PDB file of all heavy atoms in Angstrom:
ATOM      1  N   VAL A 106      27.691   1.997  18.095  1.00 90.00           N
ATOM      2  CA  VAL A 106      28.605   0.843  18.089  1.00 90.00           C
ATOM      3  C   VAL A 106      29.441   0.750  19.370  1.00 90.00           C
ATOM      4  O   VAL A 106      29.579  -0.350  19.927  1.00 90.00           O
ATOM      5  CB  VAL A 106      29.488   0.845  16.820  1.00 90.00           C
ATOM      6  CG1 VAL A 106      30.644  -0.121  16.930  1.00 90.00           C
ATOM      7  CG2 VAL A 106      28.639   0.508  15.616  1.00 90.00           C
ATOM      8  N   PRO A 107      29.982   1.830  19.902  1.00 90.00           N
ATOM      9  CA  PRO A 107      30.742   1.678  21.162  1.00 90.00           C
ATOM     10  C   PRO A 107      29.874   1.236  22.345  1.00 90.00           C
ATOM     11  O   PRO A 107      30.375   0.647  23.304  1.00 90.00           O
ATOM     12  CB  PRO A 107      31.312   3.070  21.423  1.00 90.00           C
ATOM     13  CG  PRO A 107      31.262   3.768  20.129  1.00 90.00           C
ATOM     14  CD  PRO A 107      30.123   3.177  19.367  1.00 90.00           C
ATOM     15  N   ARG A 108      28.585   1.482  22.282  1.00 89.00           N
ATOM     16  CA  ARG A 108      27.696   1.150  23.396  1.00 89.00           C
ATOM     17  C   ARG A 108      27.070  -0.242  23.279  1.00 89.00           C
ATOM     18  O   ARG A 108      26.480  -0.721  24.228  1.00 89.00           O
ATOM     19  CB  ARG A 108      26.598   2.202  23.497  1.00 89.00           C
ATOM     20  CG  ARG A 108      27.147   3.536  23.970  1.00 89.00           C
ATOM     21  CD  ARG A 108      26.179   4.664  23.673  1.00 89.00           C
ATOM     22  NE  ARG A 108      26.685   5.942  24.155  1.00 89.00           N
ATOM     23  CZ  ARG A 108      27.618   6.659  23.579  1.00 89.00           C
ATOM     24  NH1 ARG A 108      28.183   6.229  22.473  1.00 89.00           N
ATOM     25  NH2 ARG A 108      28.010   7.809  24.077  1.00 89.00           N
ATOM     26  N   LEU A 109      27.167  -0.845  22.106  1.00 88.00           N
ATOM     27  CA  LEU A 109      26.568  -2.165  21.898  1.00 88.00           C
ATOM     28  C   LEU A 109      27.612  -3.250  22.161  1.00 88.00           C
ATOM     29  O   LEU A 109      28.763  -3.134  21.733  1.00 88.00           O
ATOM     30  CB  LEU A 109      26.032  -2.291  20.469  1.00 88.00           C
ATOM     31  CG  LEU A 109      24.867  -1.379  20.107  1.00 88.00           C
ATOM     32  CD1 LEU A 109      24.567  -1.493  18.621  1.00 88.00           C
ATOM     33  CD2 LEU A 109      23.645  -1.711  20.929  1.00 88.00           C
ATOM     34  N   ASP A 110      27.181  -4.311  22.837  1.00 87.00           N
ATOM     35  CA  ASP A 110      28.074  -5.424  23.143  1.00 87.00           C
ATOM     36  C   ASP A 110      27.615  -6.649  22.347  1.00 87.00           C
ATOM     37  O   ASP A 110      26.592  -7.260  22.657  1.00 87.00           O
ATOM     38  CB  ASP A 110      28.056  -5.718  24.638  1.00 87.00           C
ATOM     39  CG  ASP A 110      29.101  -6.738  25.027  1.00 87.00           C
ATOM     40  OD1 ASP A 110      30.063  -6.941  24.253  1.00 87.00           O
ATOM     41  OD2 ASP A 110      28.955  -7.320  26.117  1.00 87.00           O
ATOM     42  N   VAL A 111      28.373  -6.991  21.323  1.00 84.00           N
ATOM     43  CA  VAL A 111      28.003  -8.093  20.441  1.00 84.00           C
ATOM     44  C   VAL A 111      28.155  -9.437  21.146  1.00 84.00           C
ATOM     45  O   VAL A 111      27.402 -10.372  20.887  1.00 84.00           O
ATOM     46  CB  VAL A 111      28.867  -8.058  19.155  1.00 84.00           C
ATOM     47  CG1 VAL A 111      28.526  -9.213  18.234  1.00 84.00           C
ATOM     48  CG2 VAL A 111      28.683  -6.745  18.439  1.00 84.00           C
ATOM     49  N   TYR A 112      29.100  -9.532  22.057  1.00 88.00           N
ATOM     50  CA  TYR A 112      29.418 -10.816  22.680  1.00 88.00           C
ATOM     51  C   TYR A 112      28.588 -11.114  23.925  1.00 88.00           C
ATOM     52  O   TYR A 112      28.779 -12.137  24.560  1.00 88.00           O
ATOM     53  CB  TYR A 112      30.902 -10.865  23.025  1.00 88.00           C
ATOM     54  CG  TYR A 112      31.762 -10.722  21.802  1.00 88.00           C
ATOM     55  CD1 TYR A 112      32.500  -9.576  21.583  1.00 88.00           C
ATOM     56  CD2 TYR A 112      31.806 -11.734  20.853  1.00 88.00           C
ATOM     57  CE1 TYR A 112      33.285  -9.443  20.445  1.00 88.00           C
ATOM     58  CE2 TYR A 112      32.572 -11.611  19.714  1.00 88.00           C
ATOM     59  CZ  TYR A 112      33.311 -10.466  19.524  1.00 88.00           C
ATOM     60  OH  TYR A 112      34.076 -10.336  18.408  1.00 88.00           O
ATOM     61  N   SER A 113      27.676 -10.240  24.294  1.00 87.00           N
ATOM     62  CA  SER A 113      26.843 -10.519  25.464  1.00 87.00           C
ATOM     63  C   SER A 113      25.794 -11.570  25.110  1.00 87.00           C
ATOM     64  O   SER A 113      25.354 -11.684  23.973  1.00 87.00           O
ATOM     65  CB  SER A 113      26.175  -9.241  25.964  1.00 87.00           C
ATOM     66  OG  SER A 113      25.317  -8.743  24.977  1.00 87.00           O
ATOM     67  N   GLY A 114      25.374 -12.309  26.091  1.00 86.00           N
ATOM     68  CA  GLY A 114      24.422 -13.384  25.851  1.00 86.00           C
ATOM     69  C   GLY A 114      22.988 -12.927  26.056  1.00 86.00           C
ATOM     70  O   GLY A 114      22.710 -11.830  26.540  1.00 86.00           O
ATOM     71  N   GLY A 115      22.089 -13.765  25.628  1.00 90.00           N
ATOM     72  CA  GLY A 115      20.680 -13.507  25.856  1.00 90.00           C
ATOM     73  C   GLY A 115      20.081 -12.504  24.899  1.00 90.00           C
ATOM     74  O   GLY A 115      20.503 -12.356  23.742  1.00 90.00           O
ATOM     75  N   LEU A 116      19.091 -11.809  25.410  1.00 92.00           N
ATOM     76  CA  LEU A 116      18.319 -10.881  24.589  1.00 92.00           C
ATOM     77  C   LEU A 116      19.140  -9.665  24.142  1.00 92.00           C
ATOM     78  O   LEU A 116      18.927  -9.125  23.062  1.00 92.00           O
ATOM     79  CB  LEU A 116      17.082 -10.428  25.367  1.00 92.00           C
ATOM     80  CG  LEU A 116      15.971  -9.752  24.598  1.00 92.00           C
ATOM     81  CD1 LEU A 116      15.484 -10.656  23.480  1.00 92.00           C
ATOM     82  CD2 LEU A 116      14.834  -9.386  25.525  1.00 92.00           C
ATOM     83  N   GLU A 117      20.098  -9.265  24.980  1.00 91.00           N
ATOM     84  CA  GLU A 117      20.925  -8.116  24.630  1.00 91.00           C
ATOM     85  C   GLU A 117      21.781  -8.393  23.392  1.00 91.00           C
ATOM     86  O   GLU A 117      21.914  -7.554  22.504  1.00 91.00           O
ATOM     87  CB  GLU A 117      21.821  -7.742  25.805  1.00 91.00           C
ATOM     88  CG  GLU A 117      22.655  -6.501  25.561  1.00 91.00           C
ATOM     89  CD  GLU A 117      23.563  -6.172  26.733  1.00 91.00           C
ATOM     90  OE1 GLU A 117      23.469  -6.834  27.771  1.00 91.00           O
ATOM     91  OE2 GLU A 117      24.376  -5.244  26.578  1.00 91.00           O
ATOM     92  N   GLY A 118      22.346  -9.575  23.308  1.00 91.00           N
ATOM     93  CA  GLY A 118      23.152  -9.943  22.151  1.00 91.00           C
ATOM     94  C   GLY A 118      22.319 -10.060  20.885  1.00 91.00           C
ATOM     95  O   GLY A 118      22.741  -9.640  19.804  1.00 91.00           O
ATOM     96  N   VAL A 119      21.113 -10.612  21.008  1.00 92.00           N
ATOM     97  CA  VAL A 119      20.213 -10.726  19.852  1.00 92.00           C
ATOM     98  C   VAL A 119      19.818  -9.340  19.361  1.00 92.00           C
ATOM     99  O   VAL A 119      19.793  -9.064  18.161  1.00 92.00           O
ATOM    100  CB  VAL A 119      18.960 -11.561  20.223  1.00 92.00           C
ATOM    101  CG1 VAL A 119      17.931 -11.520  19.112  1.00 92.00           C
ATOM    102  CG2 VAL A 119      19.356 -12.983  20.538  1.00 92.00           C
ATOM    103  N   PHE A 120      19.515  -8.441  20.316  1.00 93.00           N
ATOM    104  CA  PHE A 120      19.164  -7.070  19.931  1.00 93.00           C
ATOM    105  C   PHE A 120      20.322  -6.383  19.220  1.00 93.00           C
ATOM    106  O   PHE A 120      20.130  -5.708  18.200  1.00 93.00           O
ATOM    107  CB  PHE A 120      18.759  -6.257  21.164  1.00 93.00           C
ATOM    108  CG  PHE A 120      18.550  -4.806  20.869  1.00 93.00           C
ATOM    109  CD1 PHE A 120      17.372  -4.376  20.264  1.00 93.00           C
ATOM    110  CD2 PHE A 120      19.524  -3.871  21.160  1.00 93.00           C
ATOM    111  CE1 PHE A 120      17.182  -3.038  19.972  1.00 93.00           C
ATOM    112  CE2 PHE A 120      19.340  -2.528  20.869  1.00 93.00           C
ATOM    113  CZ  PHE A 120      18.164  -2.121  20.271  1.00 93.00           C
ATOM    114  N   THR A 121      21.519  -6.534  19.739  1.00 92.00           N
ATOM    115  CA  THR A 121      22.696  -5.894  19.144  1.00 92.00           C
ATOM    116  C   THR A 121      22.922  -6.371  17.715  1.00 92.00           C
ATOM    117  O   THR A 121      23.113  -5.558  16.799  1.00 92.00           O
ATOM    118  CB  THR A 121      23.943  -6.185  19.991  1.00 92.00           C
ATOM    119  OG1 THR A 121      23.739  -5.664  21.305  1.00 92.00           O
ATOM    120  CG2 THR A 121      25.179  -5.582  19.379  1.00 92.00           C
TER     121      THR A 121
END
Side-chain angles (χ1 to χ4, degrees):
V106 167
R108 290 163 179 77
L109 294 173
D110 188 20
V111 179
Y112 299 110
S113 63
L116 195 57
E117 184 181 354
V119 172
F120 173 78
T121 300

